[in-house]
Amino acid sequence: MRRKRGISVAIAAVVAAGLALVASGCGGGGSSGSNNSTAAPAGKTFPTLKVAWGTTDYFDPGLSYRLESWQLFQDVYLGLVVKAHVSCQTDNCTKIEPGLATTTGTVTDGGKNFKFTLRKGIKYSNGEPVKASDFKATIIRDFKLNSPGIGFFSNIVGVDACEANPTSCSDISGIVTDDKAGTVEIKLKTPESDFLYVLSIPFTAVVPASTPQKDTENPPPAAAGPYYITNYNPSKSFTVKRNPYWKKNEIPAVPNGNPDTIQGTMTDDESQSAQLVASGQAMYDENVLPVDRLAFYKKKYSDQIKFFTTPSTYYFFMNQQLAPFNNLKARQAVNYAIDRQQLVNLRGGLGVPTWNFLPPSYPQYKKITPTPYPYDLQKAKQLVQQSGTAGQKVTIYTISDVAVDLSTGEYLQSQLNKIGWKATLKPIAGANYFTIVGNQSTKAQIGFTDWFEDYPYPSDWFNILLNGEHIKPVHNNNYGNVNIKSLNKEIDRLDSLPPSEALSASTNSAWAKVDKAFSDNAATVPYLNGILTSFFSSQMNVACDIFTDSQDDPAQFCLK
Amino acid sequence: MATTGQEEFTLDTAAELAAKEGGSQIQGKSPWVLAGRRMRRNYVSLAFLGIFLLIVISCLLAPLYVSQVSHIPQNDVRTGATVVEHGKTVNVISQGGTKIVNGVPQIVFGGVPIGAQWGAAGGKYVLGADELGRDVGTRLLYGGRNSLFIGVTSAAICTTLSVVLALLAGYFGGIVDWIISRFFDLVWAFPVVLLGIALGTALSVNGFHHGPINVSSGSLWIPIGVISFVFIPYIGRPLRGQVLALRNREFIEAATAQGAGPVRIMFSELLPNVASSVLVLFTLIVANSILTEVGLSFLGAGVQLPNPSWGTMIQEGSKLLSTAPQISLFPGIAIALTVLSLNVFGDGLRDALDPRAKIRIEHG
């Protein structure tokens, strides 16, 4: 998932504790979840929570691929399974819990067959009962919408026709539902280690089969969670209310929530957003605090601000199909030329320098030691000379309308000029940036990018961003066209392990080796893992703030 | 011709009579000399001309400032550098750091550039640093060169094109006038900044490559071209009106009767008669062009980073207004002084050349 443009915001932090996949994995009946997972501090219900919120792309779960929506969706749209609504700092927030299904599913056929049974009596916010066939309808609807999430379903049996012509998708034979028995069976072509995670993201959140098969925004589709979105005025405001058909504690993993209504004022202006909270007009600021006011706010409102590390990596891509970055020494030179700490400083300190591609919050993470590319401008110059590319023209792509991204691009340009290339900067508006650099005809040589997890498993990083088999002519996420056959093969192998092996020590170690191998290849220039802020008004009890895998959970906010 | 017995009385004979009566010889003064006299008596205008010239000279001396004072080139990024301030070593950019304690990040905020040193750091960072550790003083001067170059050059191009179009429209009239007037109306119909952004953004993505003209995306000629274009009707329309009024005057009929062709009439007869207006409009359009350049650069459609202009400097400093106001403040002051000085001088020039004139640049 890309972070929103304009403000650096991430999807949630992840702790390194063991994941629920192991428990949910193979053979047996899967875990049934427990009340312990909703470990929210004691809070009382209150009438209205007013929040300042960043703008987003859509409020339709089939279409939105932005954190601002996903954060809210965690209390609104539910899948067969859900991510635990627990703190990533004190608990295992990457755990997968039963959602609309009674368990995390029964996995058979070597990890190729998942079977779920729906809970009985659950109703959507429009009063319709949740049916098994709604799941299939939801996935088909995603195809009809040409959702950015349809790539997650390519391993489902019978999906080929839908992939070939998404908007004409009418059936997927690999999804078998029985409304009477309330069962959903999903057949995969090959085992997929991260498939339960896929079932926890909003693209698979179940909406009624009667939902229009088009972008549905005002109001957004009916929801099966404890809340539903009653009103959405794009880029301006939204209102979320309690689902009148939600029965207390009917899904143990999903909190009932404290506020009766959530009223959101949407803005991407970090200063305005913070001011709304400082002045008491809003109770929570979803945007990051403005960089130049961090110290001020921290000093004045120290008890009302929290910081969280995020499973995100900011990095520079280098196009390995184009000179000079088709040369290993040239790519190594860039890695040596970047002083990671200075790029953290550009963000006011909201970041942790990194040389790994995978964020440190993952159990598969192993810090690469010794530091593979310590800042060494002299060595970088030598490598450029040795590569025979000195004096070549290099065009750097960055985002023009986010000040810190622009500064980051300027920093890179300065460093590349220092080590012997003739670098020019090409800033592009954030709204079009990834489309342009992800188009092969752009021939983007090098540039800024970042990645925030969709779900906490390494395949969401390596398979999507660095697997050469997924290089596309347009909408390409592998901006550097990294294509190392041995690593492609290893990623495919790890990705197709049955869930039972997904988190074994040997698998984790194998992923760490993949991370190291990409570093050895200087495939990218990872430079920091992001940190974000949560700012509450004085009337809020900050202790109630639960930073889940989908960021602060507004349902669990409480008053003092 | 019948004579009346009396000598005909003319201005020349009046001058001779005055001389005979012991007075000094009356000499005809050209309008330019008279304007010069009026201008010399307008001390406020001259003072502001002095300020403008001082700014121009300072900006032209930017390379000297770098080699003799700051020793920091305009685009030199020095994020990790230190300077000795009153014998004490300080970071140009405050260094932050993050420790993760029990999963919670403990942050030392960083990234704040040092403020104006005024000489305490041996000439370095006299006006402070920006977020990338670049010298604000150096960038202010180089930014001024870019802003002034764009402003003056685009005003010159715009004025030249406008004068030619106004002469063609006013002299030929008819279909030529209709076409040119509709072109003026078309450009006038768009707000200057909006049209500038649209053109500037489009051209700054891939540059301009048509036929023999190849302008790269980062070239200063892109904002120059855009600004020259958007201001054409603001000069062209008032001049066309003046040319139309002059077109039917006797001296034009006389020139036509003497066999003068259109080109000669336009450039030898009409142009000198609108020259004072052209000059005044030029000075006023320079100020407007500088402001437009600043606006376009602020919005990313003018001078392309990392090259400085006063607009890009303000834009870059806008996110650090509370902690490092110097980044935006100094270019802001420079813009205000430049535009004010040009406008006051332009007004003085207008008063001197034609005190009855009401020439104004009016934005649509």
Short mmCIF file of all heavy atoms in Angstrom, two decimals, chain A residues 43 105 132 201 211 249 262 424 436 449 466 483 553:
data_model
loop_
_atom_site.label_atom_id
_atom_site.label_comp_id
_atom_site.label_asym_id
_atom_site.label_seq_id
_atom_site.Cartn_x
_atom_site.Cartn_y
_atom_site.Cartn_z
N GLY A 43 -13.08 1.75 28.76
CA GLY A 43 -13.55 3.04 28.26
C GLY A 43 -15.06 3.07 28.34
O GLY A 43 -15.72 2.04 28.39
N GLY A 105 -10.64 -20.73 9.84
CA GLY A 105 -10.75 -21.59 8.67
C GLY A 105 -10.07 -22.94 8.81
O GLY A 105 -9.18 -23.13 9.63
N ALA A 132 -23.28 -16.40 2.95
CA ALA A 132 -22.02 -16.94 2.41
C ALA A 132 -21.79 -16.47 0.98
O ALA A 132 -20.66 -16.14 0.59
CB ALA A 132 -22.05 -18.46 2.47
N ILE A 201 -7.80 -8.19 4.55
CA ILE A 201 -7.70 -6.81 4.07
C ILE A 201 -9.06 -6.34 3.51
O ILE A 201 -9.90 -7.18 3.17
CB ILE A 201 -6.57 -6.65 3.01
CG1 ILE A 201 -6.81 -7.53 1.80
CG2 ILE A 201 -5.21 -6.94 3.64
CD1 ILE A 201 -5.76 -7.37 0.70
N THR A 211 -25.06 -4.80 -3.25
CA THR A 211 -24.31 -3.55 -3.40
C THR A 211 -24.07 -3.26 -4.88
O THR A 211 -23.67 -4.18 -5.63
CB THR A 211 -22.94 -3.66 -2.68
OG1 THR A 211 -23.16 -4.05 -1.33
CG2 THR A 211 -22.19 -2.34 -2.72
N ASN A 249 -20.62 -7.73 21.45
CA ASN A 249 -19.68 -8.85 21.58
C ASN A 249 -19.99 -10.02 20.65
O ASN A 249 -19.62 -11.15 20.93
CB ASN A 249 -19.62 -9.37 23.02
CG ASN A 249 -19.27 -8.26 23.99
OD1 ASN A 249 -18.46 -7.39 23.65
ND2 ASN A 249 -19.87 -8.26 25.15
N ILE A 262 -18.87 9.10 14.95
CA ILE A 262 -17.56 9.69 14.65
C ILE A 262 -17.78 10.71 13.53
O ILE A 262 -18.28 10.36 12.45
CB ILE A 262 -16.54 8.63 14.19
CG1 ILE A 262 -16.39 7.54 15.28
CG2 ILE A 262 -15.19 9.26 13.87
CD1 ILE A 262 -15.55 6.35 14.84
N THR A 424 19.73 15.40 -12.88
CA THR A 424 18.68 16.42 -12.92
C THR A 424 17.45 15.88 -12.20
O THR A 424 17.26 14.67 -12.11
CB THR A 424 18.28 16.79 -14.37
OG1 THR A 424 17.98 15.58 -15.07
CG2 THR A 424 19.39 17.53 -15.08
N ILE A 436 3.13 7.35 -13.28
CA ILE A 436 4.14 7.73 -14.28
C ILE A 436 5.41 6.90 -14.13
O ILE A 436 5.91 6.34 -15.09
CB ILE A 436 4.43 9.24 -14.18
CG1 ILE A 436 3.20 10.03 -14.66
CG2 ILE A 436 5.66 9.63 -14.99
CD1 ILE A 436 3.29 11.52 -14.46
N THR A 449 10.58 6.39 -3.58
CA THR A 449 9.33 5.64 -3.37
C THR A 449 9.29 5.17 -1.92
O THR A 449 10.24 5.35 -1.16
CB THR A 449 9.18 4.47 -4.35
OG1 THR A 449 7.90 3.86 -4.16
CG2 THR A 449 10.25 3.42 -4.17
N LEU A 466 9.77 -6.59 -5.67
CA LEU A 466 11.08 -6.95 -6.20
C LEU A 466 11.11 -8.27 -6.97
O LEU A 466 12.18 -8.71 -7.38
CB LEU A 466 12.10 -7.02 -5.05
CG LEU A 466 12.34 -5.71 -4.28
CD1 LEU A 466 13.30 -5.93 -3.11
CD2 LEU A 466 12.87 -4.61 -5.17
N ASN A 483 15.15 -7.93 -11.39
CA ASN A 483 14.79 -9.24 -11.93
C ASN A 483 15.96 -10.20 -11.75
O ASN A 483 16.76 -10.40 -12.66
CB ASN A 483 14.40 -9.10 -13.40
CG ASN A 483 13.81 -10.39 -13.97
OD1 ASN A 483 13.58 -11.34 -13.22
ND2 ASN A 483 13.58 -10.42 -15.26
N ASP A 553 -7.06 2.87 16.56
CA ASP A 553 -8.40 2.33 16.38
C ASP A 553 -9.42 3.30 16.99
O ASP A 553 -9.59 3.35 18.22
CB ASP A 553 -8.49 0.96 17.07
CG ASP A 553 -9.84 0.31 16.86
OD1 ASP A 553 -10.69 0.92 16.17
OD2 ASP A 553 -10.05 -0.80 17.39
#
